[in-house]
Amino acid sequence: MIAIPHERNAKESTLQESRLRLYADTEFASPYAMSVFVTLHEKQLPFDLSTVDLGSHANHEASYAARSVTQRVPTLVHGDFALSESSAISEYLDEAFSETLVYPQDRFLRARARQMQAWLRSDLMPIRQERSTQVVFYGQTGARLTSAAQAAARKLFSAAEALLAEDAHNLFGNWCIADTDLALMLNRLIMHGDQVPARLVDYAARQWERPAVQRWIELERPPL
C-alpha cells in the first residue's frame, strides 16, 4: 500500500523537472496557442516554443498527431505527457504548477472563467469567420460585418458587460486567463475599426498591455 503513492510521487517529481514544450502555429496567429503562451509566461514557467505549419497540414503528420491526439495547435509536451486543447492545457498547468494561478481561487469565479473560455471557443462563429486573428496580428481588413456577425457582436458585448463590473480592470477581480481570451475576441473588432462599447475598448487595451501578452505580440511572424 505504501509503494503506490511512492511511485506516483516519483513520477510527479520527474514531471516537475521536465522541460515544457509548446507547439504553436507558424504564423503565431492562433488565439488558443496565444492563450497557453500567456499562461506559461504568467506562471513564469520556462518552456521551448516549436511551430507547426498548418498550411502544409503538418499537424496531420503521424509524429505530431500521436502527440496532440486532436491534431491541432496548441499542444503542450511535459516529459512523456502531451496534451492539446488550450483551456485543458491551462487547467493542467494550474494543477501541476500551483504556485501562481491563472484561474480564480474561488470555485464560483473559477467556474465563470471556464464558462467564458468555453463560450468564446464554441460560439460567435460569424465574428471568428469575418474577423480572423489576422486582423489582430497582421492588420488585415475585410468587408463590413454581416447581420449575423453584428448579432454575434452584440451578444459578445452583452456578456462582457454583464461580467465586467463598472471601472473594473479584470473580469473577476484579479487577472485570469479568461481576460486574455476575451480581450483577443474584442480586439478582432476593435483593431478592425468596428464599433465596440468604450469601456470594453478600454478593458481590451489594458489587457493588451500585460507583459505576457506583449511577448506574444512581439514574436517574429512570416509574411502571409
Side-chain angles (χ1 to χ4, degrees):
M1 296 300 292
I2 298 174
I4 295 175
H6 177 76
E7 291 175 359
R8 183 183 298 117
N9 290 338
K11 181 176 181 180
E12 289 175 356
S13 177
T14 300
L15 275 175
Q16 288 287 331
E17 296 170 0
S18 299
R19 182 81 174 183
L20 295 160
R21 180 175 294 276
L22 174 64
Y23 288 86
D25 58 308
T26 305
E27 290 77 22
F28 300 121
S30 165
Y32 314 119
M34 172 183 170
S35 185
V36 176
F37 180 95
V38 169
T39 289
L40 288 162
H41 277 288
E42 291 284 350
K43 294 177 76 65
Q44 300 181 34
L45 296 172
F47 67 98
D48 297 313
L49 181 62
S50 297
T51 58
V52 180
D53 188 351
L54 303 183
S56 66
H57 306 293
N59 52 308
H60 300 308
E61 293 176 1
S63 60
Y64 183 77
R67 290 193 191 97
S68 72
V69 179
T70 59
Q71 301 182 29
R72 303 204 296 182
V73 295
T75 290
L76 181 81
V77 176
H78 185 198
D80 58 0
F81 177 68
L83 184 67
S84 60
E85 303 307 309
S86 57
S87 58
I89 295 171
S90 289
E91 290 178 25
Y92 167 73
L93 288 170
D94 249 16
E95 293 181 4
F97 304 94
S98 58
E99 295 82 1
T100 301
L101 300 176
V102 299
Y103 287 97
Q105 287 186 294
D106 178 87
R107 64 189 176 98
F108 297 111
L109 296 181
R110 188 165 61 250
R112 283 289 186 210
R114 289 169 172 169
Q115 177 188 24
M116 173 60 74
Q117 286 190 298
W119 180 61
L120 292 171
R121 287 157 172 71
S122 61
D123 201 353
L124 310 173
M125 181 58 75
I127 297 176
R128 288 186 278 152
Q129 290 176 331
E130 298 180 32
R131 297 292 183 263
S132 78
T133 52
Q134 290 178 1
V135 169
V136 178
F137 302 117
Y138 282 92
Q140 189 178 71
T141 57
R144 179 184 174 87
L145 290 173
T146 63
S147 58
Q150 290 177 31
R154 290 192 295 271
K155 187 177 181 182
L156 171 65
F157 304 154
S158 176
E161 290 182 317
L163 291 175
L164 186 66
E166 289 290 341
D167 300 322
H169 287 193
N170 305 304
L171 286 171
F172 309 113
N174 294 328
W175 174 89
C176 74
I177 191 58
D179 285 300
T180 296
D181 292 349
L182 176 58
L184 186 281
M185 183 62 80
L186 290 168
N187 275 333
R188 293 172 185 258
L189 302 166
I190 294 166
M191 293 184 179
H192 193 274
D194 300 306
Q195 291 296 312
V196 176
R199 79 183 186 101
L200 296 183
V201 173
D202 292 342
Y203 162 79
R206 285 192 298 267
Q207 296 300 327
W208 228 236
E209 292 171 357
R210 291 190 73 85
V213 173
Q214 285 296 309
R215 288 189 182 97
W216 176 264
I217 294 169
E218 292 166 0
L219 290 172
E220 185 175 350
R221 292 174 170 80
L224 288 176

